[in-house]
Amino acid sequence: MKKRRILAALLSCAMISTALIGCSGDGGSSSAASGDTSESQSSTEASTSGEKVKLTAIFVKHSLTKDLNTMQWLTDLQNECNVEVEWQQQIQP
C-alpha cells in the first residue's frame, strides 16, 4: 500500500514538471535560432501594412458537413482577423 502512494506521488510530480516545462516560454526564439525568420517577418509585415495574410488549412470533414467556403461565420472570422484562408477539404472515408 505504501509503495502505491510513493509511486502515485512520483507520477504526480513527473506530470506537473512536464506541464511546467511545456509552459515555459522562450519568447519564440526557436524559430529565430533555426534561421527561418523570413516567413515570420513577411507575415508580420503583411499584418502591420493592412494586407491580408494568406493561409492554407486542411480540414477533414464528414460527408454531411457543408462546404467551408459557404459558412458565414468563417467568412466573418477571416474578415475580422484580416486573413484569407484557402481551405483544402477532404471527406472522411
Side-chain angles (χ1 to χ4, degrees), residues 40-57:
S40 62
Q41 288 176 349
S42 64
S43 64
T44 304
E45 291 170 3
S47 63
T48 57
S49 68
E51 297 177 14
K52 284 193 172 189
V53 176
K54 187 170 183 176
L55 303 173
T56 303

Side-chain angles (χ1 to χ4, degrees), residues 48-88:
T48 57
S49 68
E51 297 177 14
K52 284 193 172 189
V53 176
K54 187 170 183 176
L55 303 173
T56 303
I58 299 174
F59 184 78
V60 179
K61 64 180 186 173
H62 187 270
S63 61
L64 298 176
T65 305
K66 291 182 357 181
D67 183 21
L68 295 176
N69 295 316
T70 62
M71 294 185 182
Q72 185 61 40
W73 71 274
L74 286 174
T75 306
D76 294 341
L77 187 62
Q78 289 178 30
N79 291 335
E80 289 177 18
C81 296
N82 199 27
V83 296
E84 178 184 343
V85 180
E86 178 186 339
W87 293 104
Q88 296 180 358

Side-chain angles (χ1 to χ4, degrees), residues 1-14:
M1 188 72 167
K2 197 171 192 179
K3 289 182 181 181
R4 284 188 180 185
R5 285 186 181 183
I6 293 172
L7 182 61
L10 288 174
L11 289 175
S12 297
C13 290

